[in-house]
Amino acid sequence: MAIPPSGSSSDPAQLQPLTFPPTHFAKLAPKSYLDAHLSRPEPLRPSGRSPRDCRKPAINTSSLTNCHGSAVVRLGDTAVVCGIRAEILRTEDAVDFTPRTTPEEIYQLDQQDERTKRREEAEEIARLNLLVPNVELSTGCTPSHLPGAPPSTEAQSLSHRVLSLLHISQLIPVNDLRIWSQPPSSTSSSSITTTEETTQPQKPHVRAFYTLHITLLFLSLSGISSAFPSAWLALLAALRTTALPRAWYDGDSDSVLCDPDRRAAKTLKLNGLPIASSFGVFVSEGEGKGIGGREGERREGKWILADMDGFEESCCDEEVTVVVREGSEDGRGMEVVRVEKEGGGVVGRKEMVELVEMAEERWKDWGGILLGV
């Protein structure tokens, strides 16, 4: 009679089934794994969130001591540091400076409607290159980023998107970046004479600008889809804490002087809080349940996921980024600043309305967090 090997059992009831942890199925069949979670009666993503849920960011401001403004933002497994440092650009060193910014001309610009005023200010900032963002992916932030390599395509694309949105949103007023020929406390009608014989007061005029150098460093990156909203949120938090020194042009020394007293520094006055929201379209193998799992409206095999993580991004064929801020022209509702769409053709006009509504909900959450820090 044959003797079974040691440690084995011939009883089928004692045989243990072969099982794998969920992470193995996620790697072997990622779309089927995600589809299985979304096909439940109450759909949940592998992270435990519903299709419409967004993660809560953690924000810490004034983290860097050698910057005029800084912030650290963590969103899921994505962590980014933003540092802002101001440098002085004299008007004679500017390539395309038009000397038309006397107080009288500034007053005439102020009398224009708000849209025209912001547009002209944004054009001046873009013409003089007063905003210089740079996105860096640190070593080890993602497995696909190799150390010692030149700036990746993702980093260059993010830098361009940040700069473009800064100009389109008209976020920073150019008047906060101007440096006058007299101290700010003396730019009124009080007279400053150049010679003893001169009786007419010298009119102040713009002699320099502050140039904001913005560095966004990713310490950890979980998916490119979360990179831009996280970087933009860190930039907003840093701008809200940015304080520029009180500065003026001194004719005797032919230089720009800055007040060392930090209490005299002036914070930036941002034009609203435009917040970016990212969404992904997942085409499943079964039957989806409308936009973001909303009941009542069924669309076969199509799901829209808000705030994707790295795993969900690899399963989605289409991405949409919506930027909204408060305060439309009529004073009601929200204002759509920008919409970016990449790949696929699932999202149409009706779906875009739903996405804007979801972006407005996210603005309320993230805007409250920004205003509280």
Side-chain angles (χ1 to χ4, degrees), residues 216-334:
L216 292 156
L217 176 63
F218 280 89
L219 304 178
S220 176
L221 179 59
S222 175
I224 296 298
S225 62
S226 64
F228 181 71
S230 302
W232 184 256
L233 183 64
L235 174 58
L236 287 178
L239 286 174
R240 283 180 51 82
T241 63
T242 299
L244 302 179
R246 176 174 171 266
W248 65 94
Y249 174 80
D250 181 67
D252 296 334
S253 60
D254 190 26
S255 61
V256 176
L257 304 181
C258 296
D259 193 340
D261 188 1
R262 294 187 176 182
R263 295 173 297 180
K266 183 180 180 180
T267 58
L268 296 176
K269 297 180 181 179
L270 304 182
N271 295 323
L273 286 177
I275 293 180
S277 304
S278 61
F279 307 92
V281 178
F282 171 64
V283 180
S284 67
E285 300 174 357
E287 182 176 311
K289 192 181 292 184
I291 297 297
R294 178 171 293 181
E295 295 289 347
E297 185 180 2
R298 307 181 68 86
R299 287 178 174 83
E300 184 177 359
K302 300 174 183 178
W303 294 85
I304 292 185
L305 308 178
D307 189 16
M308 297 178 293
D309 54 27
F311 168 73
E312 295 166 348
E313 179 185 346
S314 64
C315 300
C316 293
D317 303 321
E318 184 176 356
E319 296 181 14
V320 181
T321 301
V322 182
V323 182
V324 298
R325 68 177 165 194
E326 79 287 8
S328 57
E329 290 187 352
D330 56 3
R332 298 175 297 177
M334 308 290 291

Side-chain angles (χ1 to χ4, degrees), residues 19-327:
T19 59
F20 295 97
T23 54
H24 285 33
F25 288 102
K27 294 180 179 179
L28 294 174
K31 287 195 174 184
S32 299
Y33 181 74
L34 181 57
D35 186 19
H37 282 77
L38 297 176
S39 299
R40 298 175 180 177
E42 295 183 1
L44 287 178
R45 293 144 78 172
S47 59
R49 295 180 290 145
S50 69
R52 295 175 62 93
D53 285 346
C54 298
R55 294 167 292 185
K56 296 288 185 181
I59 304 176
N60 185 21
T61 58
S62 302
S63 306
L64 306 178
T65 57
N66 296 324
C67 294
H68 294 101
S70 61
V72 179
V73 169
R74 186 175 184 90
L75 181 64
D77 293 332
T78 298
V80 57
V81 181
C82 179
I84 301 176
R85 188 171 181 85
E87 299 292 339
I88 294 176
L89 172 67
R90 298 182 57 168
T91 54
E92 53 264 31
D93 298 329
V95 177
D96 193 12
F97 172 70
T98 303
R100 59 179 182 84
T101 51
T102 62
E104 290 78 8
E105 292 171 332
I106 297 298
Y107 175 77
Q108 293 177 0
L109 292 176
D110 290 340
Q111 300 306 308
Q112 297 176 346
D113 60 279
E114 191 67 21
R115 171 175 289 187
T116 303
K117 176 184 174 183
R118 288 185 178 182
R119 185 180 67 252
E120 293 189 0
E121 289 183 349
E123 291 175 354
E124 184 175 3
I125 290 177
R127 186 175 66 254
L128 299 176
N129 294 321
L130 300 182
L131 304 177
V132 186
N134 180 44
V135 177
E136 299 181 9
L137 303 180
S138 64
T139 301
C141 67
T142 176
S144 61
H145 179 66
L146 300 178
S152 62
T153 304
E154 292 82 3
Q156 298 180 50
S157 175
L158 288 172
S159 299
H160 175 74
R161 292 175 66 186
V162 170
L163 177 61
S164 177
L165 185 55
L166 280 171
H167 292 160
I168 292 176
S169 63
Q170 304 165 4
L171 184 62
I172 302 175
V174 69
N175 196 45
D176 289 353
L177 305 179
R178 292 188 177 113
I179 299 177
W180 296 86
S181 58
Q182 300 175 11
S185 59
S186 304
T187 55
S188 60
S189 59
S190 59
S191 63
I192 294 182
T193 58
T194 55
T195 61
E196 294 181 358
E197 294 80 6
T198 305
T199 58
Q200 294 295 330
Q202 180 183 1
K203 295 183 179 180
H205 53 281
V206 176
R207 294 303 304 265
F209 292 89
Y210 274 119
T211 301
L212 301 185
H213 293 265
I214 305 167
T215 300
L216 292 156
L217 176 63
F218 280 89
L219 304 178
S220 176
L221 179 59
S222 175
I224 296 298
S225 62
S226 64
F228 181 71
S230 302
W232 184 256
L233 183 64
L235 174 58
L236 287 178
L239 286 174
R240 283 180 51 82
T241 63
T242 299
L244 302 179
R246 176 174 171 266
W248 65 94
Y249 174 80
D250 181 67
D252 296 334
S253 60
D254 190 26
S255 61
V256 176
L257 304 181
C258 296
D259 193 340
D261 188 1
R262 294 187 176 182
R263 295 173 297 180
K266 183 180 180 180
T267 58
L268 296 176
K269 297 180 181 179
L270 304 182
N271 295 323
L273 286 177
I275 293 180
S277 304
S278 61
F279 307 92
V281 178
F282 171 64
V283 180
S284 67
E285 300 174 357
E287 182 176 311
K289 192 181 292 184
I291 297 297
R294 178 171 293 181
E295 295 289 347
E297 185 180 2
R298 307 181 68 86
R299 287 178 174 83
E300 184 177 359
K302 300 174 183 178
W303 294 85
I304 292 185
L305 308 178
D307 189 16
M308 297 178 293
D309 54 27
F311 168 73
E312 295 166 348
E313 179 185 346
S314 64
C315 300
C316 293
D317 303 321
E318 184 176 356
E319 296 181 14
V320 181
T321 301
V322 182
V323 182
V324 298
R325 68 177 165 194
E326 79 287 8

Side-chain angles (χ1 to χ4, degrees), residues 8-27:
S8 65
S9 175
S10 58
D11 188 1
Q14 297 181 5
L15 295 177
Q16 298 294 329
L18 184 62
T19 59
F20 295 97
T23 54
H24 285 33
F25 288 102
K27 294 180 179 179

